[in-house]
Amino acid sequence: MKITQHKIENVSISKVLELPFNRPKVEKQVKVIGQSVASVGILRTPVFVKTKAITGRYETYTADGQHLVEICKRFDIKSIPGIIIESNSVSEIVNIMSLLNNVNQRWTLIDYVNSYCGTGNADFFALKNHSITNGFTIAISASILSGTNVAGAGCKSIKNGTFKINAVEQDVITQNLIDVSTLVNTTNAKFHRAYLNFYRSLGGNYNHKRMITKIQESKEFVKLPHDQAYLYELIHKTYIGK
């Protein structure tokens, strides 16, 4: 197997830019790294990406080590040896950042969403707004808006930057899920997943009034467990009547 070995160059700190879709720096972490650098010097090699995907011209950005680069600026350190990766794909850069940051702080779906929002992607802005407005997880909102499986293609498309809003009747589905969640008094993401999977299993033959009535008549929607299979069967049994 051929392993890519990236070159190491002496990078001018003054020419390093911040990626608009990177996670924000944490001042506490900057100070900790500053104390370390002041005490024992620079002990790690930052990773930079050279790309023209952001502005249309080749620039150098910090992909990993933005807190260290910030300290270099504050300490007036002129240059630092860094690993250089060349890329002209925003999605590839986001993937590189997530892989590098998994060592210290694993990326969540919202980190990916925030990154692609930073590129001005309207679908990701809509996804984030839908999640916040309705109190759903990013995965649930992605499933509603894209019409895909909650844990499958929808989440994968978020990570690789290809997420698109394609689902029809997304407002109806959203309100239906809010209705049943309110009725059974839960914000359980596994309940949301079970409901969406059941809804789609009916292939357009779903009757929301029937679902609401059946749940109201049921005495089983209390202290719901975090067990998606159980919740799906409960919803199925309640609605179908078997």
Side-chain angles (χ1 to χ4, degrees):
M1 181 175 65
K2 184 178 180 181
I3 303 297
T4 301
Q5 297 189 41
H6 300 284
K7 56 187 176 182
I8 296 179
E9 295 181 7
N10 213 38
V11 177
S12 173
I13 294 298
S14 64
K15 294 183 178 180
V16 174
L17 303 176
E18 294 185 5
L19 286 164
F21 43 83
N22 203 347
R23 292 187 292 189
K25 294 188 292 292
V26 179
E27 183 61 25
K28 181 179 179 180
Q29 191 170 346
V30 172
K31 290 181 179 179
V32 169
I33 292 176
Q35 292 170 354
S36 173
V37 170
S39 175
V40 297
I42 297 173
L43 298 178
R44 60 164 298 188
T45 304
V47 179
F48 301 101
V49 60
K50 188 175 291 185
T51 182
K52 62 179 181 179
I54 311 301
T55 64
R57 60 182 182 274
Y58 278 106
E59 305 277 13
T60 300
Y61 300 85
T62 307
D64 182 52
Q66 61 175 345
H67 295 88
L68 174 58
V69 170
E70 177 63 25
I71 279 300
C72 287
K73 292 178 180 178
R74 295 184 188 185
F75 286 0
D76 199 29
I77 296 172
K78 303 299 183 184
S79 63
I80 186 174
I83 297 172
I84 305 295
I85 299 174
E86 294 191 11
S87 174
N88 281 312
S89 165
V90 170
S91 61
E92 182 181 44
I93 295 170
V94 170
N95 186 53
I96 289 170
M97 290 162 56
S98 69
L99 290 173
L100 291 169
N101 280 279
N102 272 344
V103 174
N104 298 312
Q105 187 178 357
R106 189 175 183 84
W107 270 39
T108 62
L109 284 180
I110 189 59
D111 289 319
Y112 285 98
V113 170
N114 285 334
S115 290
Y116 289 114
C117 281
T119 69
N121 189 305
D123 287 289
F124 280 86
F125 274 114
L127 171 59
K128 183 176 181 178
N129 182 62
H130 186 274
S131 172
I132 294 172
T133 300
N134 298 295
F136 299 149
T137 65
I138 288 293
I140 295 298
S141 286
S143 178
I144 292 173
L145 297 179
S146 68
T148 58
N149 181 277
V150 174
C155 292
K156 184 177 180 180
S157 70
I158 291 173
K159 292 181 178 181
N160 63 28
T162 60
F163 173 80
K164 296 291 182 184
I165 297 177
N166 296 315
V168 295
E169 296 187 336
Q170 55 189 255
D171 291 340
V172 172
I173 299 172
T174 298
Q175 189 57 54
N176 287 353
L177 180 52
I178 291 173
D179 289 346
V180 295
S181 297
T182 301
L183 188 58
V184 302
N185 192 30
T186 186
T187 58
N188 186 334
K190 283 188 166 51
F191 177 84
H192 292 166
R193 293 184 184 187
Y195 171 82
L196 287 174
N197 288 340
F198 174 74
Y199 176 92
R200 291 196 170 117
S201 74
L202 297 183
N205 295 316
Y206 173 83
N207 185 310
H208 191 55
K209 289 185 178 180
R210 174 185 174 88
M211 174 64 82
I212 294 298
T213 299
K214 290 292 185 179
I215 290 177
Q216 289 172 331
E217 294 173 349
S218 174
K219 297 181 180 180
E220 297 186 57
F221 287 86
V222 293
K223 296 182 180 180
L224 297 174
H226 288 259
D227 184 328
Q228 188 174 329
Y230 170 86
L231 293 169
Y232 181 91
E233 288 302 319
L234 175 60
I235 293 169
H236 182 277
K237 178 181 68 174
T238 301
Y239 184 88
I240 302 299
K242 296 180 181 180

